[in-house]
Structure formats: structure tokens, C-alpha cells
Amino acid sequence: SCIYEVVSEGVSAEIDNLQDMPASESKWWSEQILSGKPIILNTLEQLLEEAPDEYQILVVQGIKSLMVTPLMTGDRVWGYMGIDLVETYHDWSNEDFQWFSSLGNIINICIELRKTKDKVIREQTFLNNLFHFMPMGYIRMSIIRDENNKPCDYRVTDANEVSSTFFGLPLESYIGSLASEKHPDYLQKLNFLEEILDSNSYREKDEYFPRTERYTHWVIYSPGKDEIVGLFLDSTGSVQANRALDRSEKLFKNIFANIPAGVEIYDKDGYLIDLNNKDLEIFGVVNKSDVIGVNFFENPNVPQGIRDRVRNEDLVDFRLNYSFEQAGGYYETSRSNVIELYSKVSKLYDNEGNFSGYILISIDNTERIDAMNRIRDFENFFLMISDYAKVGYAKLNLLNRKGYAIKQWYKNLGEEEDIPLSEVVAVYSQMHPEDRKRFLDFYDGVRDGKRRHFQGEMRIRRPGTKNEWNWVSSNVMVTNYKPEENEIEIIGINYDITELKETEAELIQARDKAEMMDRLKSAFLANMSHEIRTPLNAIVGFSDLLVETEELAERQEYIKIVRENNELLLQLISDILDLSKIEAGTFEFTNGDVDVNLLCEDIVRSMGMKAKEEVELVFDDHLPVCHVISDRNRIHQVISNFVNNAMKFTSEGSIYVGYKLKDGELEFYVEDTGIGIEKEQLPHIFERFVKLNSFVHGTGLGLSICQSIVEQLGGRIGVDSEKGKGSRFWFTIPGVIVTEEVGCAR
């Protein structure tokens, strides 16, 4: 289905007609796209035999030429984009496709980046919600420095709702406030925060809030320059429990005070006799009394195998996906989800070595597992970016060639990602021999302790070829040099710069072409001064002689010379003016009904008088009637230029002017029996300022102007020639062609 369409002015939209089209109605088209192949059609005739169904669909839309490129994510095709021409035909060039394909790649990258951005925003929202709604206090502070860069105050920049329940103040009363405005002892607190900044570590401390009569336990750290974050839990219950335990059992006091985990104490029969607040929090229990007395060996979440091990072994650790729904009949809980639980059970013995019960310590690993999943997601994201940017990364020990490398690193080196790293490092079977030697020389220098860094561009054999190469930039550095411990750690980064190299080559070629054009223009200016001066001198000189002579025959000869040089000068000026119009983009065209036979007859009749006596200008065999919709003056200009050139280089024989229908187009031609053109000069025949014979008058612009005219008329231009056997210049005109024999053709 079409999801986006842009049309030129005057072209009807087709988006509504391109919805929910079954793939079975365009089988060939679908197979091309799904295999990652582009579809490039200069005309729909190229499609007829291979895909008649697709041909009918495109004809209905009035499409003449099209170019389609798949849109891919990794190796998966998710759609395609195309450009359709509905009024003219176009011969797509490789440059057209490269630009269009690059645009498709940009769209792919933008879409993937947008998806990634949305994902990051969701993660940020999740983290913000986590900090603001998690069951612990959170506060963020910003250090303020004086003109000597010394800490002089701090400001609360953020806090969650839970913190206000501890402080006994609404959030707005302290977020954004300076500590000096709220706390008389703010300098003492500032010194503590400064120690955290200087130590680049975290601190723990206990804080009592008289307003709410709550004890809190804080973990304070610095996530960035002059930023402090404090996380704190309500330790009121723990403090009270610690005081009670201090009066009875120091063992219990240490357990409840120092282990940030859920603790449960069971008797020797497995009945719960005590637990801490963290355990209440983990298992969603409101009051201890609700669970005191439950039996560990009856917990439906604990498998029978673990129960048996707890009975028979002194120390057992296990992991569970602990379901609170499954525990519903075992005890009352406020939770209903599933957590990742890690537990250790140890038997307790009294002073005489008699077994007295069990102690179970549990940690909720859910957040850690989630964090690991986020790390894994980030790693996948990094790999995705690596694929798009074609950047590879590897870290290994050079001495034993063991380590780690991502998929793109192998791909950049032309290797399969599933082969051992040791079979790639220092082997590089797909690398150009000259570049491999440079790499191996670097490794030898690293082992000897003489080299620490390598940077260079390498040639890697293109897959499926023998002598075609991709370009890869490689940067390798030594990060740990301990050969005595059998370790030389290196990190390598490589990235594919083939496109950059190809672009660089194209730019060099364009620069060379521009320099050549500049030289040709300089030669052109020098030539023009000569070409214009020659007819002017002739006109002025023979005009003076014409005034002085009285003999009629001599006067007629002088008049003929003046007329010929007038025409030559006029042609020179006309070519220069046409060139300036082409450069300025103001070359005008006026289409109308052109009688082809009458046009050719006029040219043959008017130019036949200029032909040499030994040369015959002939209108070749033609149709009785032929009309075409085009610009008569421009067609006349091109044919006349062809005839003029033919006359210059044909000393005897014939010059034929003609046309014929060919592949739905009208092809005009001028064929002579002149000296012909050498094979190596044919590719340059339509370039500007090119003259095959410097002794023949002309600007070297005529054929270049003809090419521009024909291309703007929508046709093609060319020449067929052989040295010593004459030349045949031709051009085509598309459009509606009317003949007496075939009626109307398009």
C-alpha cells in the first residue's frame, strides 16, 4: 500500500488507487523488490514480456519511465520508493540511480533513528517515573561555586513525592531553594557533599527528621560535575528493631542493620519466627503478624527439590521466578506480579552445636535483571548503529589472538562472522597483499615493543569478485602491554569508506573535467579572436576593393567573397549567442505541427546552392506524408548544422538528408561520403570547443549546441562514422507522429 506520494503540478494523484493491492497481481514486481533489486525502466516496453500484469497497472497510470529502489532495514525489505514520469521518457543514468538510492538510504536511516529516539524517550520517561514513584526518597542537588571556584552553597533541583513525606514539607517549598535559605548548618552539609565530589565515590549516612519523627538511611553519590544525588529509605523500623535487638541478640542486630536484603528466621521445623522490613517490602506484607508462623516447606513457590536440599544441606542457594498470585493461599500480600528472587538458606546452630533453625536471606533481582535487559538492548542498538555506519570493533590479546569482535568488524574485513577470531587476526585472507604486509609489520613492531598505534586505509576483496576491492579505514592501538604475562591487549576499529573513496574519485574526475573545460574555453577565446578577425578582414578588405574596381566580373567575385564571409561571421555570432542562452537557461522552444517533408526539402534546396560542384545534396527516400509535433526552427537548426559539417568534410560524392520511423520515434539523419572520423575521436565529437580540423572555419560549438537542443526536445543524438568512408549524424524526436501509411503513432 502507498503510504506517501508527491506529484508535480498538473499530475493526478494515484495514492488512493494503490492501496491493498495483492502481491499476486504483481508477482514479478514483488519478487524484484523482496530480493532487494531495483526496478529501472526507461520505457514500459522493457517490461512487456517479463511482467504483463505490471505493465497494465503502469499503463493505466500513464507512466512513461520509472525508477524504484527497495527500502531495507538490515537485510529485510520493508517497502520501496519510486519516481514515475508521466509525460516524458527518460534514460536513467547510473548517477540518477546512485542519487535516488542514496536518498532511500537516508530515509531508512532517518526512520530507524526516529524509532531509536522514541525508544530513548520511553526509557527516559520510565526512569523519570521510576525516580518519582519508587518507594524511596530521591533528591537531586546542584553545587554552587563562588568566583574562586570554591563551593559556597547548593540548591535542590529535583525530588520525588516520597521525599516530602519524610521532610514533612510540600515539594514546592524546597525544590529550587538554596540550602543557605533553609538550613542554619548548611555549611556542614556542604562540606560533606564536597567530600563526595572530591572522592568521586558514594557515602552512606543516617538522618533523623524531627518534623516527621522518621529515621532515614541515605546513599549519596555524584553522577556528574557539581551534581549530587541522594537516595534514602525509611529506616525508622530498622532503628527501633536495632535498639530492641541490641538489648537481646547482637546477631539479629547485625543482620537487620547491615544486610540490605530480606531476612527470615525459621525454627528447626521450618516455621517463620521473625523477618525484617526489607523482607516485608519484598514480599508485600503489611504486618509481621500476618506471616509469622508460616512454614517454609509449604511455600507453593519453592520446588520440592529445593525443600529437600534445605533439609539435607547446611547451605543452599537458589533462584526463583516468585509468583505472588501463586502465594495467595500461603499468606496475604499486596503484590500480584512476578519477581526475580535470589535466596540463600543456611542452618543455624547453638553454642553447643545443636541444630536450632534456618536463616533465609533474599534479594529482589528484578531491577538488576531489567538493567541487564536494558544493557542488552543498548548493545543491540549499538550493533544496529554499527551496521548502518559500517563501523566494526574488536578487542583481543595479540599473543593468543583471543578476544571479541562484533559482526561488522568481520564484515568489513570480508570474513564470515562465525569463524574463530584466531583464524582472522594476522591472517587477513581477503586483504590486499600489500596492505596485509603493512598490518603484519605493525604486529611485529607491537610484539617488539616498538609500535603502539596503526592507522591506515586497507583494500578488502569485494565478495564474489577476484580483483575488485572495497576500501576500509583501520585504526588499531595497544591498550595493555604485558608480554611477560602473555598479554598484549589491542583495540581495533575499522569502517568501510568505499563510498567515500568512490566519491573522492568522482570529485577528482569532475575537477579534471572542469580544468579541461577551462583550458578548452581559453583555447576557444583564442580561436574566436582568429575566427572572427578572419571574416572581418575579408569583409573590410574586399569591400574596399569593391569600391575601387570597375570591372563587373571582378566586382561579382568580390561580392561573393564578402557574402560568404558575412554568412561565416553570422554563424560564428549565432553559435556564441546560442551557447550563452544555453548557459543562462533561456533557450526557447515553440512546439507546433511540423511538415517533415517540407522541412527537409527547404533545407536541401537552400543549402544545395552552397554545395561544391562535385557534391550532390539529396533528400533521401521518404514517406509521402509525415508530420511531427515539435519545434520546427530547432529541428531545422540541427539538420542545417549537420549538413554544413558534411559540406566542410566532403569534397566529392553525395550528402543525404532523410528520416525514418524507428522504435516509435522519428529519426533524422545526414549521411555523407566525406573523410569520416577516427574512432578515438567519436566519444568527444559532441563536446564543446572540439574541432576535428583546425584548418576548417568554425567555433567547435555547433554539435554541442545540437546535442543540447535534441536533449531538451526529449530525443537522442549520435554519430556513426569510419575513417575514409564518410559519416552519418542522427537524432531522434519523440512525440505524436502522423504519416499517410501508418496513421498516428506515439
Side-chain angles (χ1 to χ4, degrees):
S1 297
C2 181
I3 61 174
Y4 192 76
E5 179 187 46
V6 177
V7 295
S8 299
E9 183 177 356
V11 178
S12 61
E14 292 289 338
I15 188 168
D16 293 335
N17 300 324
L18 299 176
Q19 307 305 312
D20 303 322
M21 297 181 66
S24 58
E25 292 183 9
S26 54
K27 185 176 181 182
W28 176 87
W29 184 285
S30 300
E31 290 177 350
Q32 287 286 108
I33 296 300
L34 289 175
S35 62
K37 299 177 181 178
I39 300 174
I40 303 175
L41 300 175
N42 298 329
T43 70
L44 296 189
E45 305 302 320
Q46 297 173 335
L47 192 63
L48 265 177
E49 294 183 1
E50 292 188 67
D53 293 338
E54 287 85 343
Y55 177 84
Q56 292 299 327
I57 293 173
L58 297 175
V59 166
V60 169
Q61 299 176 58
I63 294 172
K64 301 294 187 299
S65 302
L66 63 83
M67 177 165 56
V68 174
T69 183
L71 296 174
M72 306 180 70
T73 299
D75 297 327
R76 183 180 70 86
V77 177
W78 63 268
Y80 61 88
M81 58 181 286
I83 179 168
D84 306 327
L85 300 183
V86 299
E87 294 183 357
T88 60
Y89 295 89
H90 185 74
D91 288 340
W92 304 104
S93 66
N94 184 57
E95 183 179 3
D96 294 333
F97 174 71
Q98 291 299 324
W99 277 107
F100 195 65
S101 177
S102 298
L103 179 59
N105 291 335
I106 292 172
I107 290 175
N108 275 325
I109 293 172
C110 289
I111 289 176
E112 289 305 314
L113 288 177
R114 180 53 187 262
K115 290 180 180 177
T116 303
K117 178 181 178 182
D118 292 342
K119 183 176 181 181
V120 170
I121 292 174
R122 289 196 300 272
E123 290 293 333
Q124 290 176 340
T125 303
F126 169 80
L127 291 176
N128 288 336
N129 291 334
L130 178 65
F131 276 113
H132 282 84
F133 300 110
M134 63 184 177
M136 68 168 58
Y138 159 74
I139 187 169
R140 191 180 188 97
M141 296 160 282
S142 179
I143 301 298
I144 299 173
R145 297 180 180 271
D146 59 21
E147 59 273 14
N148 298 319
N149 201 32
K150 293 291 184 180
C152 62
D153 206 342
Y154 65 93
R155 185 189 306 275
V156 177
T157 58
D158 193 17
N160 63 355
E161 289 288 344
V162 176
S163 66
S164 66
T165 63
F166 289 92
F167 299 157
L169 296 169
L171 287 174
E172 57 269 18
S173 67
Y174 53 91
I175 292 182
S177 300
L178 291 173
S180 58
E181 299 171 351
K182 297 292 182 180
H183 306 295
D185 60 341
Y186 79 96
L187 289 176
Q188 182 180 353
K189 295 180 181 293
L190 181 63
N191 292 334
F192 177 76
L193 298 179
E194 187 176 1
E195 291 177 5
I196 296 176
L197 290 176
D198 294 338
S199 66
N200 195 28
S201 181
Y202 73 95
R203 292 284 191 276
E204 293 187 34
K205 66 173 297 187
D206 294 310
E207 186 79 15
Y208 176 68
F209 294 98
R211 188 187 299 273
T212 58
E213 297 182 346
R214 290 195 180 188
Y215 291 91
T216 56
H217 183 73
W218 290 66
V219 175
I220 307 172
Y221 66 98
S222 173
K225 179 177 174 57
D226 290 343
E227 291 290 321
I228 300 291
V229 169
L231 300 174
F232 54 97
L233 291 170
D234 186 357
S235 61
T236 305
S238 298
V239 170
Q240 294 172 351
N242 285 340
R243 290 174 179 174
L245 289 171
D246 187 59
R247 291 189 299 267
S248 57
E249 290 285 339
K250 290 186 177 181
L251 173 64
F252 290 161
K253 176 182 177 181
N254 291 332
I255 292 175
F256 281 90
N258 300 318
I259 297 181
V263 180
E264 301 170 3
I265 308 296
Y266 295 87
D267 66 15
K268 61 182 179 180
D269 295 321
Y271 289 98
L272 182 65
I273 59 177
D274 202 359
L275 70 162
N276 67 352
N277 287 332
K278 186 64 177 179
D279 202 69
L280 292 173
E281 177 187 330
I282 291 175
F283 292 98
V285 177
V286 178
N287 299 308
K288 286 185 179 182
S289 59
D290 295 336
V291 292
I292 296 296
V294 300
N295 193 290
F296 172 82
F297 299 106
E298 296 175 0
N299 191 329
N301 275 296
V302 179
Q304 185 61 44
I306 294 179
R307 299 179 191 178
D308 294 340
R309 290 182 58 198
V310 170
R311 282 192 175 100
N312 299 324
E313 300 175 20
D314 283 346
L315 180 64
V316 178
D317 61 338
F318 55 88
R319 300 177 188 274
L320 290 177
N321 289 325
Y322 194 95
S323 171
F324 289 99
E325 291 184 358
Q326 189 173 340
Y330 180 59
Y331 64 89
E332 292 185 5
T333 175
S334 61
R335 302 188 67 173
S336 59
N337 58 335
V338 177
I339 63 174
E340 299 280 344
L341 193 67
Y342 175 65
S343 300
K344 281 192 174 184
V345 181
S346 177
K347 289 182 177 180
L348 297 175
Y349 297 88
D350 60 20
N351 293 334
E352 297 178 357
N354 298 317
F355 169 62
S356 61
Y358 305 91
I359 180 169
L360 184 146
I361 302 175
S362 299
I363 298 175
D364 182 357
N365 267 340
T366 306
E367 291 186 6
R368 187 178 69 85
I369 297 298
D370 289 343
M372 291 176 63
N373 290 334
R374 287 196 296 272
I375 291 172
R376 190 177 298 110
D377 291 340
F378 175 78
E379 185 179 56
N380 293 333
F381 168 71
F382 175 78
L383 292 176
M384 180 186 69
I385 295 299
S386 170
D387 286 341
Y388 278 110
K390 298 182 179 180
V391 176
Y393 169 82
K395 181 178 181 181
L396 56 97
N397 184 346
L398 183 60
L399 296 180
N400 58 22
R401 293 186 289 181
K402 292 181 179 180
Y404 168 79
I406 64 174
K407 177 176 65 175
Q408 190 63 39
W409 185 84
Y410 287 96
K411 189 174 182 180
N412 286 345
L413 292 175
E415 304 285 356
E416 298 292 334
E417 61 175 303
D418 55 351
I419 68 174
L421 196 62
S422 59
E423 295 182 14
V424 178
V425 178
V427 178
Y428 304 122
S429 60
Q430 304 303 316
M431 189 179 292
H432 193 283
E434 297 175 1
D435 300 330
R436 184 189 302 118
K437 184 179 184 306
R438 287 194 292 140
F439 233 125
L440 298 182
D441 289 345
F442 165 70
Y443 285 156
D444 290 339
V446 170
R447 293 187 186 96
D448 296 337
K450 297 178 180 178
R451 299 188 65 178
R452 307 281 290 187
H453 181 258
F454 174 87
Q455 186 173 11
E457 296 175 353
M458 326 301 292
R459 287 160 291 180
I460 304 298
R461 184 175 289 105
R462 191 166 295 174
T465 67
K466 292 184 178 180
N467 294 309
E468 296 183 20
W469 306 91
N470 288 334
W471 283 92
V472 174
S473 179
S474 184
N475 197 329
V476 183
M477 65 179 63
V478 178
T479 56
N480 195 2
Y481 185 77
K482 297 179 180 178
E484 67 280 358
E485 299 178 11
N486 197 35
E487 181 180 7
I488 300 179
E489 183 184 79
I490 62 173
I491 291 178
I493 297 175
N494 59 28
Y495 50 96
D496 192 321
I497 58 170
T498 305
E499 292 184 8
L500 182 64
K501 279 289 187 179
E502 291 174 350
T503 302
E504 181 182 357
E506 291 173 0
L507 290 173
I508 292 174
Q509 184 179 3
R511 182 201 64 193
D512 293 342
K513 185 175 181 180
E515 290 176 352
M516 181 186 70
M517 292 299 294
D518 186 60
R519 290 193 299 270
L520 289 174
K521 281 188 176 183
S522 298
F524 165 72
L525 292 174
N527 184 46
M528 281 304 95
S529 64
H530 170 73
E531 294 290 345
I532 294 175
R533 190 182 295 113
T534 300
L536 280 176
N537 288 338
I539 292 169
V540 173
F542 284 99
S543 295
D544 291 340
L545 292 174
L546 187 62
V547 173
E548 296 175 0
T549 185
E550 296 181 357
E551 189 173 330
L552 182 59
E554 193 173 350
R555 288 173 64 86
Q556 291 295 331
E557 184 65 25
Y558 292 163
I559 291 172
K560 179 181 178 182
I561 294 172
V562 170
R563 184 180 294 113
E564 290 175 351
N565 282 277
N566 279 336
E567 293 177 357
L568 176 59
L569 183 60
L570 180 62
Q571 184 61 45
L572 291 171
I573 300 302
S574 177
D575 284 350
I576 295 171
L577 292 176
D578 284 346
L579 177 63
S580 65
K581 290 180 180 179
I582 291 172
E583 294 284 355
T586 59
F587 214 52
E588 297 179 354
F589 292 85
T590 305
N591 290 334
D593 182 13
V594 180
D595 186 331
V596 176
N597 289 341
L598 182 59
L599 171 66
C600 293
E601 289 170 357
D602 288 346
I603 293 173
V604 170
R605 182 170 54 254
S606 61
M607 302 193 71
M609 296 181 293
K610 301 178 182 179
K612 302 172 185 175
E613 293 182 1
E614 298 83 1
V615 178
E616 181 182 14
L617 182 60
V618 180
F619 184 14
D620 208 353
D621 294 339
H622 54 275
L623 299 173
V625 176
C626 182
H627 290 255
V628 66
I629 304 301
S630 191
D631 189 320
R632 184 185 190 281
N633 292 335
R634 297 307 177 194
I635 296 176
H636 187 288
Q637 182 177 352
V638 176
I639 298 175
S640 297
N641 193 285
F642 285 178
V643 174
N644 264 327
N645 285 344
M647 288 181 174
K648 292 177 183 178
F649 299 102
T650 305
S651 57
E652 60 181 2
S654 302
I655 299 174
Y656 294 94
V657 177
Y659 65 87
K660 63 180 179 179
L661 284 172
K662 186 176 181 180
D663 298 330
E665 297 179 319
L666 193 61
E667 179 182 281
F668 291 92
Y669 62 87
V670 174
E671 186 172 352
D672 63 58
T673 58
I675 62 175
I677 304 170
E678 294 181 356
K679 184 177 181 180
E680 58 271 15
Q681 292 180 321
L682 288 176
H684 310 289
I685 197 70
F686 292 103
E687 294 178 2
R688 292 181 182 178
F689 318 124
V690 172
K691 292 178 65 176
L692 300 182
N693 190 336
S694 58
F695 296 102
V696 176
H697 291 298
T699 61
L701 293 172
L703 291 178
S704 175
I705 293 171
C706 289
Q707 183 182 40
S708 178
I709 291 172
V710 171
E711 288 176 351
Q712 292 186 62
L713 289 174
R716 296 171 291 112
I717 191 169
V719 59
D720 305 311
S721 182
E722 186 176 347
K723 185 68 175 178
K725 295 185 178 181
S727 304
R728 182 181 185 272
F729 284 82
W730 56 269
F731 68 95
T732 63
I733 296 295
V736 177
I737 304 164
V738 180
T739 68
E740 188 176 65
E741 294 182 357
V742 299
C744 180
R746 182 179 293 275

